[in-house]
PDB file of all heavy atoms in Angstrom:
ATOM      1  N   GLU A 546     -24.821  16.790  -4.830  1.00  0.00           N
ATOM      2  CA  GLU A 546     -24.580  16.436  -6.257  1.00  0.00           C
ATOM      3  C   GLU A 546     -24.541  14.854  -6.430  1.00  0.00           C
ATOM      4  O   GLU A 546     -25.114  14.425  -7.451  1.00  0.00           O
ATOM      5  CB  GLU A 546     -23.151  16.968  -6.612  1.00  0.00           C
ATOM      6  CG  GLU A 546     -23.025  18.512  -6.645  1.00  0.00           C
ATOM      7  CD  GLU A 546     -21.588  18.927  -6.820  1.00  0.00           C
ATOM      8  OE1 GLU A 546     -20.695  18.367  -6.088  1.00  0.00           O
ATOM      9  OE2 GLU A 546     -21.345  19.764  -7.637  1.00  0.00           O
ATOM     10  N   ILE A 547     -24.045  14.204  -5.459  1.00  0.00           N
ATOM     11  CA  ILE A 547     -24.090  12.719  -5.527  1.00  0.00           C
ATOM     12  C   ILE A 547     -25.512  12.215  -5.469  1.00  0.00           C
ATOM     13  O   ILE A 547     -25.859  11.350  -6.357  1.00  0.00           O
ATOM     14  CB  ILE A 547     -23.300  12.122  -4.329  1.00  0.00           C
ATOM     15  CG1 ILE A 547     -21.780  12.496  -4.485  1.00  0.00           C
ATOM     16  CG2 ILE A 547     -23.411  10.571  -4.310  1.00  0.00           C
ATOM     17  CD1 ILE A 547     -21.038  12.194  -3.228  1.00  0.00           C
ATOM     18  N   ASP A 548     -26.299  12.668  -4.556  1.00  0.00           N
ATOM     19  CA  ASP A 548     -27.662  12.163  -4.460  1.00  0.00           C
ATOM     20  C   ASP A 548     -28.491  12.493  -5.748  1.00  0.00           C
ATOM     21  O   ASP A 548     -29.304  11.669  -6.130  1.00  0.00           O
ATOM     22  CB  ASP A 548     -28.363  12.785  -3.198  1.00  0.00           C
ATOM     23  CG  ASP A 548     -27.790  12.163  -2.002  1.00  0.00           C
ATOM     24  OD1 ASP A 548     -27.067  11.170  -2.019  1.00  0.00           O
ATOM     25  OD2 ASP A 548     -28.031  12.770  -0.822  1.00  0.00           O
ATOM     26  N   SER A 549     -28.310  13.715  -6.264  1.00  0.00           N
ATOM     27  CA  SER A 549     -29.073  14.092  -7.500  1.00  0.00           C
ATOM     28  C   SER A 549     -28.680  13.193  -8.598  1.00  0.00           C
ATOM     29  O   SER A 549     -29.591  12.725  -9.400  1.00  0.00           O
ATOM     30  CB  SER A 549     -28.729  15.538  -7.801  1.00  0.00           C
ATOM     31  OG  SER A 549     -29.373  15.993  -8.990  1.00  0.00           O
ATOM     32  N   ALA A 550     -27.398  12.918  -8.826  1.00  0.00           N
ATOM     33  CA  ALA A 550     -26.948  12.121  -9.923  1.00  0.00           C
ATOM     34  C   ALA A 550     -27.404  10.662  -9.738  1.00  0.00           C
ATOM     35  O   ALA A 550     -27.849  10.000 -10.702  1.00  0.00           O
ATOM     36  CB  ALA A 550     -25.409  12.027 -10.021  1.00  0.00           C
ATOM     37  N   LEU A 551     -27.449  10.217  -8.445  1.00  0.00           N
ATOM     38  CA  LEU A 551     -27.875   8.762  -8.165  1.00  0.00           C
ATOM     39  C   LEU A 551     -29.328   8.662  -8.510  1.00  0.00           C
ATOM     40  O   LEU A 551     -29.809   7.634  -9.062  1.00  0.00           O
ATOM     41  CB  LEU A 551     -27.606   8.537  -6.708  1.00  0.00           C
ATOM     42  CG  LEU A 551     -27.707   7.013  -6.307  1.00  0.00           C
ATOM     43  CD1 LEU A 551     -26.641   6.218  -6.903  1.00  0.00           C
ATOM     44  CD2 LEU A 551     -27.681   6.877  -4.800  1.00  0.00           C
ATOM     45  N   GLU A 552     -30.112   9.653  -8.091  1.00  0.00           N
ATOM     46  CA  GLU A 552     -31.552   9.618  -8.406  1.00  0.00           C
ATOM     47  C   GLU A 552     -31.847   9.538  -9.920  1.00  0.00           C
ATOM     48  O   GLU A 552     -32.730   8.791 -10.338  1.00  0.00           O
ATOM     49  CB  GLU A 552     -32.237  10.811  -7.757  1.00  0.00           C
ATOM     50  CG  GLU A 552     -33.749  10.888  -7.980  1.00  0.00           C
ATOM     51  CD  GLU A 552     -34.407  12.092  -7.296  1.00  0.00           C
ATOM     52  OE1 GLU A 552     -33.693  12.773  -6.468  1.00  0.00           O
ATOM     53  OE2 GLU A 552     -35.518  12.300  -7.545  1.00  0.00           O
ATOM     54  N   ALA A 553     -31.048  10.328 -10.669  1.00  0.00           N
ATOM     55  CA  ALA A 553     -31.247  10.422 -12.097  1.00  0.00           C
ATOM     56  C   ALA A 553     -30.893   8.997 -12.693  1.00  0.00           C
ATOM     57  O   ALA A 553     -31.540   8.551 -13.634  1.00  0.00           O
ATOM     58  CB  ALA A 553     -30.297  11.508 -12.706  1.00  0.00           C
ATOM     59  N   LEU A 554     -29.783   8.388 -12.176  1.00  0.00           N
ATOM     60  CA  LEU A 554     -29.397   7.104 -12.733  1.00  0.00           C
ATOM     61  C   LEU A 554     -30.421   6.046 -12.424  1.00  0.00           C
ATOM     62  O   LEU A 554     -30.790   5.248 -13.348  1.00  0.00           O
ATOM     63  CB  LEU A 554     -28.022   6.768 -12.124  1.00  0.00           C
ATOM     64  CG  LEU A 554     -27.515   5.260 -12.467  1.00  0.00           C
ATOM     65  CD1 LEU A 554     -27.378   5.133 -13.970  1.00  0.00           C
ATOM     66  CD2 LEU A 554     -26.236   5.050 -11.751  1.00  0.00           C
ATOM     67  N   GLN A 555     -30.925   5.951 -11.200  1.00  0.00           N
ATOM     68  CA  GLN A 555     -31.783   4.922 -10.865  1.00  0.00           C
ATOM     69  C   GLN A 555     -33.134   5.126 -11.640  1.00  0.00           C
ATOM     70  O   GLN A 555     -33.701   4.132 -12.119  1.00  0.00           O
ATOM     71  CB  GLN A 555     -32.149   4.974  -9.340  1.00  0.00           C
ATOM     72  CG  GLN A 555     -33.067   3.842  -8.905  1.00  0.00           C
ATOM     73  CD  GLN A 555     -32.879   3.315  -7.511  1.00  0.00           C
ATOM     74  OE1 GLN A 555     -31.864   3.683  -6.926  1.00  0.00           O
ATOM     75  NE2 GLN A 555     -33.676   2.429  -7.009  1.00  0.00           N
ATOM     76  N   ALA A 556     -33.505   6.385 -11.863  1.00  0.00           N
ATOM     77  CA  ALA A 556     -34.804   6.549 -12.678  1.00  0.00           C
ATOM     78  C   ALA A 556     -34.549   6.174 -14.133  1.00  0.00           C
ATOM     79  O   ALA A 556     -35.459   5.600 -14.733  1.00  0.00           O
ATOM     80  CB  ALA A 556     -35.208   8.026 -12.583  1.00  0.00           C
ATOM     81  N   ALA A 557     -33.435   6.455 -14.610  1.00  0.00           N
ATOM     82  CA  ALA A 557     -33.106   6.071 -16.034  1.00  0.00           C
ATOM     83  C   ALA A 557     -33.093   4.564 -16.220  1.00  0.00           C
ATOM     84  O   ALA A 557     -33.607   4.049 -17.222  1.00  0.00           O
ATOM     85  CB  ALA A 557     -31.731   6.683 -16.396  1.00  0.00           C
ATOM     86  N   ILE A 558     -32.545   3.792 -15.287  1.00  0.00           N
ATOM     87  CA  ILE A 558     -32.520   2.360 -15.481  1.00  0.00           C
ATOM     88  C   ILE A 558     -33.963   1.771 -15.251  1.00  0.00           C
ATOM     89  O   ILE A 558     -34.403   0.885 -15.930  1.00  0.00           O
ATOM     90  CB  ILE A 558     -31.499   1.768 -14.472  1.00  0.00           C
ATOM     91  CG1 ILE A 558     -30.141   2.122 -14.905  1.00  0.00           C
ATOM     92  CG2 ILE A 558     -31.652   0.167 -14.540  1.00  0.00           C
ATOM     93  CD1 ILE A 558     -28.955   1.491 -13.988  1.00  0.00           C
ATOM     94  N   GLN A 559     -34.625   2.308 -14.280  1.00  0.00           N
ATOM     95  CA  GLN A 559     -36.009   1.863 -13.942  1.00  0.00           C
ATOM     96  C   GLN A 559     -36.913   2.079 -15.152  1.00  0.00           C
ATOM     97  O   GLN A 559     -37.721   1.206 -15.512  1.00  0.00           O
ATOM     98  CB  GLN A 559     -36.595   2.590 -12.760  1.00  0.00           C
ATOM     99  CG  GLN A 559     -37.939   2.126 -12.354  1.00  0.00           C
ATOM    100  CD  GLN A 559     -37.845   0.678 -11.731  1.00  0.00           C
ATOM    101  OE1 GLN A 559     -37.302   0.500 -10.616  1.00  0.00           O
ATOM    102  NE2 GLN A 559     -38.414  -0.309 -12.386  1.00  0.00           N
ATOM    103  N   ALA A 560     -36.692   3.177 -15.866  1.00  0.00           N
ATOM    104  CA  ALA A 560     -37.538   3.414 -17.095  1.00  0.00           C
ATOM    105  C   ALA A 560     -37.287   2.479 -18.204  1.00  0.00           C
ATOM    106  O   ALA A 560     -38.121   2.273 -19.110  1.00  0.00           O
ATOM    107  CB  ALA A 560     -37.228   4.898 -17.606  1.00  0.00           C
ATOM    108  N   LEU A 561     -36.094   1.797 -18.167  1.00  0.00           N
ATOM    109  CA  LEU A 561     -35.751   0.832 -19.251  1.00  0.00           C
ATOM    110  C   LEU A 561     -36.319  -0.512 -18.937  1.00  0.00           C
ATOM    111  O   LEU A 561     -36.344  -1.374 -19.811  1.00  0.00           O
ATOM    112  CB  LEU A 561     -34.257   0.724 -19.453  1.00  0.00           C
ATOM    113  CG  LEU A 561     -33.522   1.988 -19.921  1.00  0.00           C
ATOM    114  CD1 LEU A 561     -32.038   1.774 -19.734  1.00  0.00           C
ATOM    115  CD2 LEU A 561     -33.904   2.344 -21.319  1.00  0.00           C
TER     116      LEU A 561
END
Side-chain angles (χ1 to χ4, degrees):
E546 295 171 314
I547 294 169
D548 289 345
S549 176
L551 193 69
E552 183 179 346
L554 173 60
Q555 183 148 353
I558 294 180
Q559 187 69 67
L561 297 171

